[in-house]
């Protein structure tokens, strides 16, 4: 992958989308698709998401966060039960719980793989489209889990949203590789729970490849423009 970086300033219309960084995918021991032991890829994703989300909100830039949340009576095949309502798996990881108390953050609980579909309202309107239009967002920066499933589906849909003018301000979809991850499910464990094996590194890189093939820009660094605070301290 070519090494690419984006640099975000205070005055540009970039929005951050956080996909499913909930306990059921990120916190050790919290369900079938959560890490069974500390996981470097998942930990890096959460750390980078916290860093970027803090910067976005300090600059009053918009954030939208999805939270995977399923009805126990509506299985999501071919995946084992995960992020069920009331289990705690569907809650944001502790380091991101502050998003729930920030009025500048839009939260969407979704019960399907594709976040755009999960953001549909009964009247046919869509939370993602309204968020982009209301904030005049030209570029979305996407982080989250799983790279090859929910991230891929959302990004693929958003490229069509852009290409067909469904949300006219939107011009660019960026996926931050270091801010994404996926789950690891060895074959032996998969057989025990009646699921399909899922090798983490391979699936992660396949997800990145396919999002790029659909028209997204993949970057491996996110930086923020220098800012001079009233006390004269430069923030980079």
């Amino acid at each position: 992958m070519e090494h690419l970086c984006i640099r975000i300033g205070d005055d540009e219309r970039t929005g951050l989308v956080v996909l499913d960084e909930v306990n059921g995918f990120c916190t050790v021991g919290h369900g079938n698709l959560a890490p069974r032991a500390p996981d470097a890829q998942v930990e890096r994703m959460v750390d980078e998401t916290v860093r970027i989300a803090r910067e976005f909100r300090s600059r009053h830039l918009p954030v939208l966060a999805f939270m995977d949340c399923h009805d126990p009576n509506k299985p999501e095949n071919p995946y084992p039960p995960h992020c069920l309502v009331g289990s705690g798996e569907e809650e944001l990881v502790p380091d991101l719980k502050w998003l729930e108390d920030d009025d500048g953050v839009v939260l969407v609980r979704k019960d399907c793989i594709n976040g755009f579909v999960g953001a549909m309202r009964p009247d046919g309107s869509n939370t993602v489209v309204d968020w982009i239009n209301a904030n005049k967002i030209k570029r979305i920066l996407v982080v989250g889990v799983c790279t090859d499933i929910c991230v891929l589906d959302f990004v693929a849909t958003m490229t069509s949203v852009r290409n067909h003018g469904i949300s006219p301000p939107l011009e660019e979809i960026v996926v931050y590789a270091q801010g994404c991850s996926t789950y690891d499910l060895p074959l032996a464990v998969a057989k025990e729970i009646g699921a399909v094996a899922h090798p983490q590194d391979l699936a992660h890189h396949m997800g990145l490849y396919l999002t790029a093939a659909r028209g997204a820009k993949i970057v491996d660094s996110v930086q923020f423009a220098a800012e001079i605070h009233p006390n004269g301290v430069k923030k980079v």
Side-chain angles (χ1 to χ4, degrees):
M1 182 178 67
E2 183 181 0
H3 293 286
L4 295 175
C5 170
I6 62 167
R7 190 172 179 83
I8 297 171
D10 299 328
D11 58 347
E12 62 182 279
R13 301 318 305 170
T14 299
L16 175 66
V17 176
V18 181
L19 276 156
D20 297 339
E21 296 197 27
V22 296
N23 292 318
F25 292 124
C26 305
T27 302
V28 174
H30 277 63
N32 289 317
L33 300 184
R36 285 161 173 72
D39 186 297
Q41 187 186 98
V42 172
E43 291 173 356
R44 179 191 64 197
M45 173 193 70
V46 172
D47 289 346
E48 283 298 284
T49 299
V50 172
R51 176 182 72 88
I52 292 169
R54 290 285 188 190
E55 285 284 358
F56 263 73
R57 294 308 302 137
S58 73
R59 296 162 188 267
H60 306 290
L61 295 175
V63 175
L64 186 148
F66 288 102
M67 302 159 71
D68 208 42
C69 186
H70 295 287
D71 182 332
N73 298 314
K74 295 170 66 177
E76 189 177 56
N77 296 322
Y79 308 105
H82 62 281
C83 301
L84 302 180
V85 175
S87 67
E89 296 177 25
E90 81 282 22
E91 298 298 329
L92 288 168
V93 295
D95 286 349
L96 289 171
K97 286 290 284 183
W98 61 271
L99 292 173
E100 298 177 1
D101 300 319
D102 190 319
D103 292 337
V105 177
V106 173
L107 299 175
V108 178
R109 291 188 181 272
K110 67 180 183 67
D111 64 350
C112 59
I113 293 171
N114 192 318
F116 188 86
V117 174
M120 294 296 298
R121 303 190 186 99
D123 65 1
S125 62
N126 187 283
T127 302
V128 177
V129 171
D130 291 348
W131 175 72
I132 290 172
N133 292 343
N135 291 286
K136 298 180 173 61
I137 294 170
K138 293 184 177 182
R139 174 172 66 186
I140 57 171
L141 174 62
V142 180
V143 298
V145 63
C146 298
T147 321
D148 56 314
I149 305 171
C150 293
V151 172
L152 172 59
D153 272 29
F154 177 75
V155 169
T157 301
M158 294 310 298
T159 59
S160 292
V161 167
R162 175 197 62 191
N163 294 346
H164 293 280
I166 295 172
S167 192
L170 184 63
E171 298 176 359
E172 185 176 39
I173 297 97
V174 178
V175 176
Y176 177 34
Q178 310 301 319
C180 294
S181 73
T182 192
Y183 67 95
D184 188 52
L185 193 62
L187 179 60
V189 178
K191 286 182 176 180
E192 288 179 7
I193 62 176
V196 177
H198 191 267
Q200 183 183 54
D201 288 339
L202 176 62
H204 174 66
H205 288 291
M206 286 177 60
L208 294 175
Y209 173 81
L210 291 170
T211 54
R214 292 301 299 268
K217 179 179 181 180
I218 311 300
V219 300
D220 58 5
S221 178
V222 176
Q223 299 177 2
F224 293 85
E227 178 184 354
I228 304 297
H229 290 279
N231 63 5
V233 177
K234 180 183 287 189
K235 180 179 180 182
V236 178

